[in-house]
Amino acid sequence: MTRTKRVGFVVALVLLPHLSPLHAAQDTTAVDTAAVADTLPLASPVVAIKEAETPPGPLPPSGRYVFTRDSILWSDAHTLSDLLGQIPGVYIARAGFLGLPEYVNYAGRGGRALEIYWDGVRLEPLGNDSLFLDPARIPLTLLRRVDVEVRPAGLRVYVVSERHERLTPRSFIQVGSGDFSTAAFAGMFQHRWRSGFELVAAADFVGTDGASGPGRNDQAFDVFAKFGWHPSPRMGASYQIRRQDHDRDAANTQGGVVGVPERRGASTDILFAMYAGTRDDGLGLRVEGGVGISAWDPDEESTIPEQRVRRVYLETRYQTPNLTGSVRGILGDSRTLSGVEGRFGWVPVPGLVLFGDARREQHEGDRTSRTLHGGAALYHGPFSLVGEIEWAEAVQASALLADSAQRTIDRSVRLGLDTRVIASHVGLAQRDAFVPRPFADLPIAALDSSGAATYLIVDVRLQPLRPLTARAWYSDRLGGDDHSLQPPRHGRMALTFRSKYWRTFRSGTFDIKLEVALESWDNGIAGLNDVGTPIPLPAATFTEALIEFQIAGFTGFWNLRNAGNTQAQYVPGMPYPISAQTFGVKWVFAN
């Protein structure tokens, strides 16, 4: 990124925007409503559902980004990795087309930067991802909501599985295709009974020949089922199971050597949870407990051994409109043997939010992880000022007995303005030195030790007219060392047109979305090769285009990746296709 482009990008940020974060003392969000996911008869009675398993307020301004069911369906994201690429400062290490790894890197922390909670229970990496999670393995069709909590040097992602709150059944069907013989099919059926029982059944299939060499094949098939009983908002229980069979051939680098190993086997996640509270609105005392089981079952050709992780948890929470406190205890049979974590949020006086959380875990091999995180926020009208600090002495990969804890202290401060027409946040993050472990499925032998560094992070959203929205984010290393797979200057901007906000058609009957997005970064480093030599990460610019339209419950979409036909790569050595398109249709209807 030249000086001229860099100045231009910063100027554009003054005029462009990004996502709408949560306000301080409430748990609401500005929804990019398309209503496509909720086109059910308004007369259909609403019944109780289990509340979203996300940290409740009070919350600091601009600290959490929320993707609702509608905004997920109306985005160009295929996987959870794509969705996280919209968070300021996130770099997605894409090894190629669909099916190949798309690891998330943030703040130069490698896999340590990302934690994913599925309905409140933290997911364990298994199979090829035994050290770190690959979010590309999580399809979006199974999700009702995604919350991303941004910390000074990491992300906590809370994915909320589908659930249904109306007595009218809801069905969803998606059929897609694209380049490289890509085929995608998804379907879901949801039903509720007056007695409180709930059924969700879903399947998601994606198959492609890939773009990393002739004859390379990838197939991932997910099945998901949830059975619940929610007689009232105060109590209930649920049992869910998700299984993914993944059959992926090895993908070669440009040099012809294996860059991404094959993946053959099935991963299974089971969660049983029960909850009870004192009030219908979620305030007061609430207790929840459950059992989570994650497993990897290799097929005969896989070199990855069978793996099992079992955990039980019990959480107690007390909440008022201005105060929340919770404590959770965890027991496990492998990797992490026990743990306790707590969280609080408090508004002592209007305009001030105090918040924090702590966690202590005991791992196999007599290792301990400890984390303390806290901060304060001042807010008045559309203005906010937030300061955070996080101290950690934590293990990166609990599955690796040789991995020991590293101590870090990270700080951040950000100033925010949030109105309907314009929203902007400017922040500084001071991040400690760290030695990240490499991602197992990428052709990078090691990630370079990252020294202390200070980053400027800016996001802006501008909506001068209801149909027109521009948004962007920009990250700039102001001082310190380069971080692997974290370009020193990196940004993304998008211009979106939505006809829904025109009153020509009845709301929810017709909608069209046109979007053009650009992602660009400066020269950086990707990591180290086998002999310890740095691997350059050349500067690049990628463009995307999306066309999507809706007529009642029917939606059609067309998405074009790398529309500028650049020969650049997200992961050096792993080609990224030019003008890679996907297209298809979606139906949402009541039976």
Side-chain angles (χ1 to χ4, degrees), residues 131-218:
L131 299 185
F132 303 119
L133 288 168
D134 178 7
R137 302 273 51 83
I138 299 179
L140 298 178
T141 53
L142 309 180
L143 306 182
R144 172 68 179 259
R145 169 175 164 173
V146 176
D147 283 26
V148 184
E149 184 180 47
V150 180
R151 302 162 77 90
L155 305 174
R156 285 189 179 176
V157 181
Y158 299 88
V159 296
V160 180
S161 66
E162 266 291 2
R163 54 207 61 192
H164 192 49
E165 69 274 24
R166 293 187 181 272
L167 291 179
T168 302
R170 174 182 181 268
S171 298
F172 169 78
I173 297 174
Q174 177 175 319
V175 179
S177 186
D179 291 331
F180 313 108
S181 301
T182 297
F185 306 95
M188 179 179 296
F189 175 73
Q190 299 171 274
H191 188 57
R192 287 298 303 273
W193 289 266
R194 291 185 182 276
S195 60
F197 286 101
E198 172 191 27
L199 169 65
V200 179
D204 184 286
F205 170 83
V206 177
T208 178
D209 288 348
S212 298
R216 198 195 71 82
N217 184 265
D218 182 284

Side-chain angles (χ1 to χ4, degrees), residues 61-73:
S62 70
R64 188 164 69 173
Y65 297 89
V66 177
F67 300 89
T68 64
R69 174 196 274 169
D70 289 335
S71 60
I72 291 173
L73 289 176

